[in-house]
Amino acid sequence: MNPWFKVADLAAIPERTIFPVSGGGGDWIILREGAELRAYRDLCSHQDVKLSEFGHLKGDTLVCFAHGACFSCNDGAPLTWPATRGLEKAAVKVAHGEVFLSEVSSAPA
């Protein structure tokens, strides 16, 4: 069984936005900065609110509008209260212009 699942074409993912995708039995967001891609479960770790609906980017920070929780765009780590757990992260790879994710079991503290 291949743990990688296709979620998007690279050309479809704009820079500096929260890009929602689905695959592998779940919903994810992709953050793109140039050639750098990061993917996280589409849920705020504070109260399971969809970040694709209630989040926005402020510099290198992902902010959840629901209660103001902030996370690092670089690794999903919580930066401010009320978030006490990091975002669940997925590994990302690009092959032939297609973006693939593979679930990572742990979130940063």
Side-chain angles (χ1 to χ4, degrees):
M1 183 174 133
N2 186 351
W4 294 95
F5 49 93
K6 181 185 174 192
V7 292
D9 291 325
L10 181 60
I13 303 173
E15 288 195 49
R16 305 292 306 147
T17 63
I18 298 171
F19 189 79
V21 297
S22 293
D27 296 325
W28 303 87
I29 57 170
I30 296 179
L31 308 178
R32 180 178 183 183
E33 182 74 39
E36 193 78 32
L37 297 171
R38 291 182 176 84
Y40 302 102
R41 182 79 63 187
D42 189 9
L43 290 174
C44 175
S45 66
H46 169 239
Q47 284 204 337
D48 292 340
V49 174
K50 283 190 158 290
L51 292 167
S52 60
E53 296 175 18
F54 293 95
H56 76 279
L57 298 177
K58 185 175 183 180
D60 289 336
T61 303
L62 175 57
V63 181
C64 180
F65 279 134
H67 298 103
C70 295
F71 304 90
S72 168
C73 288
N74 296 320
D75 62 6
L79 300 175
T80 63
W81 184 89
T84 58
R85 293 179 293 119
L87 300 174
E88 185 179 343
K89 189 174 184 176
V92 182
K93 75 175 180 179
V94 178
H96 308 290
E98 298 176 329
V99 179
F100 296 84
L101 302 184
S102 181
E103 289 189 55
V104 175
S105 59
S106 62

